[in-house]
């Protein structure tokens, strides 16, 4: 602020701001004059001397303003400190942030950074990861969009159900107590605010086996990659889900197989609990062809199961890996399927897997997760000793076979497994009969 000399001022000059006053005195010093400001602060007289009147007046006006605002501590500052304070206030003015709040946030941010890290660099990195125009989406909103997109893309129903079960929150008023889904845990949280630590704690809180946890990690990465593609998370930057680690899954110790005696009981049934045609088909195709549960549910007579040719064609539209493979029927499987030659249509109706599991429970046998498929691969390895051929029929890699299935059983046990036959020669069902078992 430019200050001019006051013509013929009356001495001492009084500078007032509200009820606060600072006086300027003019005194003779050698051949010139000096100007002295005087005001009272906390019962103590404060004096400063200036060679130029303008400097004295600026100082007096500044002190009067500070006194009026009650900022006595600032009034006692050295001029250099006061200038620094005023400069800081001017810089903060456009942000409308109090100086103390700004200092507190700065100190907190510096303490949170690694030693030697630049807060400016950290802020720029944050801005890159959180663009200003990024839409704000909650976890539940992104989950709903993902499920809708997969339905529109005609993704397989089983896959969509898995996504829904893991991610979707219960609807308001629902009595479903089935699980702690990701949507239940983080539904109202902005997806950009969910951290790797948050997700890791949720995963560990589920208390699931390592293999299941690995599958859950895959689902979370699917969700976050979808959010990134939709523009809800910054592109070109690893998401928080990418930082999740997957547990090491041990090999054969996690593979459970059925014994030949258990399979014989299951596929034959008892007087109290009869094995239905559906049960027998599920057991035979799973245990003697190694098909996955999801593949079994998609099978069609004639298209996939070609009884007359003794082949099962696992086409890309039903295979887990979308990779086509051909399975040559074992003699015992051909015998179990012989009555269905000439059929068309779906092999199984919905929830066939659940009905088979319940049937095993009624027989007093514990159902082993993926036990039929694991049994087929294990017994095939033991009998054929041809690992690449087994891997090709099972739709696995040779590495997986070596890591998980070798040395689980013996050649003799394998031969017993593949000798489980129907009690009597099957009567061929009339050609052209349609429908599921």
């Amino acid at each position: 602020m430019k200050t001019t000399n006051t013509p013929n001022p009356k001495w001492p000059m009084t500078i007032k701001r509200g009820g606060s006053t600072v006086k300027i005195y003019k005194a003779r010093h050698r051949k010139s004059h000096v100007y002295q400001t005087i005001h009272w602060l906390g019962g103590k007289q404060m004096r400063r001397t200036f060679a130029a009147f303008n400097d004295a007046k600026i100082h007096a006006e500044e002190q009067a303003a500070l006194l009026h605002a009650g900022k006595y501590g600032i009034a006692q500052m050295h001029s250099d400190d006061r200038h620094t304070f005023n400069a800081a206030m001017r810089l903060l003015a456009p942000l409308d942030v109090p100086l103390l709040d700004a200092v507190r946030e700065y100190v907190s941010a510096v303490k949170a950074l690694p030693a030697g890290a630049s807060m400016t660099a950290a802020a720029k990195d944050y801005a890159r990861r959180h663009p200003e125009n990024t839409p704000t989406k909650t976890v539940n909103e992104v989950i709903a969009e993902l499920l809708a997109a997969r339905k529109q893309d005609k993704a397989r129903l089983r896959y969509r159900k898995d996504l829904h079960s893991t991610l979707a929150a219960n609807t308001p008023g629902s009595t479903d107590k089935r699980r702690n889904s990701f949507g239940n845990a983080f539904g109202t949280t902005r997806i950009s605010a969910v951290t790797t630590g948050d997700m890791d704690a949720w995963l560990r809180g589920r208390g699931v086996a390592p293999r299941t946890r690995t599958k859950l990690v895959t689902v979370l990465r699917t969700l976050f990659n979808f959010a990134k593609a939709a523009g809800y998370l910054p592109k070109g930057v690893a998401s928080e889900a990418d930082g999740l680690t997957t547990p090491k899954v041990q090999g054969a110790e996690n593979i459970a197989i059925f014994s030949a005696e258990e399979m014989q009981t299951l596929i034959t049934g008892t007087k109290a609990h009869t094995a239905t045609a559906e049960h027998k088909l599920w057991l035979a195709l799973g245990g003697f062809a190694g098909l996955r549960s999801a593949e079994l549910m998609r099978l069609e007579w004639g298209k996939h199961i070609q009884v007359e040719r003794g082949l099962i064609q696992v086409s890309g539209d039903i295979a887990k890996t979308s990779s086509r493979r051909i399975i040559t029927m074992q003699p015992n499987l051909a015998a179990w399927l012989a009555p269905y030659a000439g059929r068309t249509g779906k092999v199984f109706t919905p929830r066939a897997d659940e009905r088979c599991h319940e049937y095993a429970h009624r027989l007093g046998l514990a159902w082993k997760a993926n036990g039929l498929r694991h049994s087929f691969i294990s017994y095939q390895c033991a009998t054929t000793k041809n690992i690449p051929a087994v891997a090709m029929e099972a739709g696995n890699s040779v590495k997986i076979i070596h890591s998980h299935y070798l040395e689980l059983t013996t050649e003799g046990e394998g031969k017993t497994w593949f000798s489980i036959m129907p009690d009597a020669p099957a009567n061929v069902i009339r050609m052209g009969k349609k429908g599921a078992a």
Side-chain angles (χ1 to χ4, degrees):
M1 180 178 66
K2 184 177 180 180
T3 305
T4 58
N5 290 325
T6 303
N8 300 319
K10 292 183 179 180
W11 302 104
M13 178 185 290
T14 300
I15 304 296
K16 297 188 67 175
R17 292 291 185 274
S20 302
T21 62
V22 177
K23 290 189 176 183
I24 304 175
Y25 290 86
K26 180 179 180 182
R28 187 87 180 170
H29 180 67
R30 295 180 182 177
K31 295 183 180 181
S32 60
H33 291 89
V34 294
Y35 303 89
Q36 193 171 60
T37 63
I38 297 177
H39 64 277
W40 292 88
L41 180 61
K44 182 179 179 181
Q45 189 181 71
M46 311 299 294
R47 294 172 177 264
R48 282 200 63 181
T49 302
F50 299 88
F53 169 70
N54 278 353
D55 292 339
K57 187 175 181 184
I58 290 173
H59 178 71
E61 291 173 342
E62 186 179 74
Q63 295 302 301
L66 292 173
L67 288 166
H68 177 60
K71 299 179 180 179
Y72 299 117
I74 298 171
Q76 291 177 297
M77 286 182 182
H78 185 275
S79 60
D80 290 343
D81 294 333
R82 207 163 48 249
H83 292 324
T84 300
F85 172 82
N86 290 331
M89 293 299 291
R90 285 194 297 271
L91 289 172
L92 285 172
L95 303 179
D96 193 26
V97 177
L99 178 60
L100 183 59
D101 289 350
V103 173
R104 281 175 177 162
E105 188 167 346
Y106 175 84
V107 172
S108 176
V110 170
K111 286 181 178 179
L113 290 172
S118 163
M119 197 166 77
T120 300
K124 288 181 178 179
D125 181 66
Y126 180 89
R128 180 173 64 89
R129 292 172 177 270
H130 302 80
E132 185 176 354
N133 296 324
T134 300
T136 300
K137 289 283 184 175
T138 66
V139 169
N140 275 344
E141 288 173 329
V142 180
I143 289 172
E145 290 185 22
L146 170 62
L147 295 176
R150 293 296 181 264
K151 183 176 182 180
Q152 187 178 35
D153 295 342
K154 300 189 184 305
R156 292 168 183 162
L157 181 60
R158 185 64 176 263
Y159 169 66
R160 285 162 31 210
K161 284 184 176 180
D162 287 344
L163 286 180
H164 185 277
S165 177
T166 301
L167 298 174
N170 293 343
T171 56
S174 171
T175 58
D176 187 355
K177 299 178 181 179
R178 57 200 159 91
R179 75 239 138 94
N180 172 26
S181 73
F182 194 69
N184 286 338
F186 299 100
T188 58
T189 306
R190 288 181 295 109
I191 194 164
S192 59
V194 180
T195 66
T196 301
D198 294 332
M199 287 183 275
D200 186 69
W202 175 77
L203 287 165
R204 295 183 185 280
R206 298 273 302 225
V208 296
R211 192 180 301 277
T212 302
R213 185 178 163 199
T214 298
K215 292 180 180 179
L216 294 177
V217 169
T218 300
V219 172
L220 293 181
R221 288 176 178 165
T222 297
L223 176 67
F224 276 70
N225 286 336
F226 175 83
K228 188 188 299 185
Y232 307 146
L233 294 174
K235 297 179 180 180
V237 179
S239 74
E240 291 293 310
D242 291 325
L244 291 169
T245 57
T246 54
K248 184 177 181 180
V249 178
Q250 298 299 323
E253 64 187 51
N254 287 308
I255 298 297
I257 65 174
F258 290 103
S259 68
E261 292 76 12
E262 289 174 323
M263 183 61 157
Q264 186 70 63
T265 300
L266 285 167
I267 206 164
T268 304
T270 65
K271 290 183 178 179
H273 303 289
T274 305
T276 66
E278 179 184 63
H279 297 152
K280 293 176 182 179
L281 271 177
W282 187 273
L283 292 163
L285 287 166
F288 305 139
L291 293 166
R292 299 177 175 91
S293 295
E295 294 169 344
L296 288 169
M297 292 303 301
R298 301 172 192 138
L299 287 173
E300 294 182 30
W301 296 111
K303 178 180 179 181
H304 304 114
I305 300 182
Q306 301 170 15
V307 177
E308 296 84 352
R309 298 179 63 195
L311 299 174
I312 299 175
Q313 178 176 273
V314 184
S315 52
D317 61 324
I318 70 168
K320 175 184 177 182
T321 59
S322 299
S323 179
R324 179 176 177 270
R325 68 184 193 273
I326 300 294
I327 301 172
T328 301
M329 293 182 190
Q330 297 290 323
N332 67 332
L333 177 59
W336 284 103
L337 298 182
Y340 301 94
R343 280 208 178 187
T344 58
K346 295 281 288 186
V347 176
F348 296 104
T349 55
R351 299 185 62 190
D353 53 342
E354 297 177 19
R355 289 190 290 275
C356 195
H357 298 174
E358 291 165 359
Y359 160 70
H361 180 72
R362 291 194 299 273
L363 287 175
L365 292 173
W367 189 261
K368 299 170 184 179
N370 299 312
L372 294 174
R373 174 174 167 80
H374 293 330
S375 300
F376 168 80
I377 297 174
S378 300
Y379 291 125
Q380 271 284 72
C381 288
T383 55
T384 68
K385 308 294 191 298
N386 189 340
I387 306 305
V390 175
M392 185 174 295
E393 283 201 331
N396 271 342
S397 67
V398 171
K399 180 180 178 181
I400 290 294
I401 299 294
H402 274 289
S403 301
H404 293 75
Y405 296 101
L406 297 187
E407 300 179 1
L408 289 181
T409 186
T410 66
E411 182 177 354
E413 291 170 331
K415 289 180 178 179
T416 301
W417 178 267
F418 290 110
S419 67
I420 298 174
M421 301 286 284
D423 291 337
N427 295 320
V428 176
I429 291 178
R430 189 181 45 193
M431 297 289 289
K433 185 172 181 180
K434 301 177 182 288

